[in-house]
Amino acid sequence: MTTDGILFDVDDTLVDTKGAFAVALEAIRAEYLPHVPPERDPEILAHWRTDPGGYYARYTRGELDHDTQRRYRAVRLHETFGGPPVTAASFEAWDALFWGTFERSWTAHDDARAAVDDAVAAGLRVGVVTNAATELQERKLKLAGLADLPVLVGVDTLGFGKPDPRVFLEGARVLGTDPVRTAYVGDEPTVDALAAREAGLTGVWLDRAGHRRGPGYGGPSDGGRDPQDPEALRAAGVLVIRTLAELPAALGYGPAAARPR
């Protein structure tokens, strides 16, 4: 395998978005769901990240704007955990608490900086393709210490996002690499890795410990198999790694090391 470039996802690939969501949702629980004990914080976080209403997916398809999808998710969260109704009027204060806390909590994963630097040192081109707005992700990367990593394609670039194959192909085009010699690294097995593979890139699923979404996330795969099953992804031609430190060995551009299992 020859790799000339790597396209990175941002959230939960380079930036610990799960951790930032956890802090923001703890603040929401304390303010709006005081009857819910802190022991249920992991359940609240899983609900938000799994997004059972599919509102973020609708945003990436261009069907909802960013604020509206977040308001719908807030409504669903309160309905699920017995909170007061979230109305168009009350959402402003809700979102000020949620989004303000979320932004202040953005940090890079410990392996992110080294992964980008190692790829650049090996002569690879690097960039970001994301399902969030370009300006938002540029700001997020800056606050996380990764401002030098260019955001090449955001959901606002084409008006829709992953898993549409055109998103990955546009990323490779802007990066200046042949798709077949370009890897895409992301934390979502279907939307990121499998979709990139199907678009003709090398799909890499970053299966970080403790970062998978809740059961059933992404819907049933062929044959009813779990879409987060590593063996099913490998069988489909996706590379599976647990940390970004495994990326050079997986793609064959770094020092000799054991391939990820």
Side-chain angles (χ1 to χ4, degrees):
M1 178 191 307
T2 301
T3 304
D4 294 334
I6 301 176
L7 296 169
F8 290 95
D9 174 47
V10 175
D11 295 300
D12 288 317
T13 298
L14 298 171
V15 176
D16 185 7
T17 309
K18 177 187 175 184
F21 277 144
V23 177
L25 290 167
E26 286 172 10
I28 289 295
R29 176 190 52 74
E31 179 69 20
Y32 291 97
L33 306 168
H35 61 284
V36 178
E39 291 77 15
R40 296 189 70 187
D41 280 342
E43 187 181 346
I44 293 173
L45 176 60
H47 183 282
W48 187 265
R49 296 181 74 234
T50 303
D51 185 19
Y55 301 120
Y56 197 85
R58 291 180 61 188
Y59 164 64
T60 64
R61 294 194 298 267
E63 298 171 6
L64 297 173
D65 62 49
H66 196 258
D67 288 349
T68 299
Q69 65 83 25
R70 197 159 62 250
R71 177 165 61 86
Y72 285 176
R73 291 166 76 183
V75 169
R76 185 81 174 246
L77 184 77
H78 278 229
E79 291 174 347
T80 301
F81 292 93
V86 177
T87 66
S90 67
F91 177 67
E92 183 176 356
W94 190 100
D95 198 44
L97 175 60
F98 174 86
W99 194 258
T101 308
F102 179 56
E103 282 197 351
R104 291 191 296 272
S105 304
W106 290 339
T107 59
H109 278 289
D110 292 343
D111 54 2
R113 181 72 265 172
V116 173
D117 292 344
D118 288 347
V120 172
L124 276 64
R125 299 181 183 183
V126 297
V128 162
V129 169
T130 172
N131 263 5
T134 301
E135 185 276 333
L136 169 63
Q137 299 299 64
E138 288 175 342
R139 186 155 44 90
K140 187 179 295 177
L141 290 170
K142 180 179 180 180
L143 291 173
L146 297 164
D148 55 313
L149 192 60
V151 179
L152 305 179
V153 179
V155 73
D156 49 332
T157 303
L158 300 175
F160 51 83
K162 304 171 292 183
D164 192 297
R166 291 171 291 180
V167 174
F168 301 100
L169 297 176
E170 177 65 6
R173 186 192 71 79
V174 179
L175 190 64
T177 54
D178 188 325
V180 301
R181 297 166 70 95
T182 307
Y184 188 84
V185 184
D187 71 295
E188 296 195 52
T190 52
V191 172
D192 289 331
L194 187 59
R197 167 75 175 172
E198 292 174 347
L201 287 72
T202 299
V204 184
W205 178 29
L206 176 59
D207 182 21
R208 288 190 184 279
H211 272 70
R212 292 186 193 178
R213 269 72 170 177
Y217 176 76
S221 60
D222 291 341
R225 297 190 67 179
D226 181 1
Q228 299 180 106
D229 176 14
E231 292 309 314
L233 270 292
R234 290 189 181 98
V238 167
L239 298 178
V240 180
I241 60 176
R242 299 303 302 275
T243 73
L244 290 176
E246 297 176 10
L247 195 56
L251 296 177
Y253 65 85
R259 286 189 172 273
R261 294 179 291 175

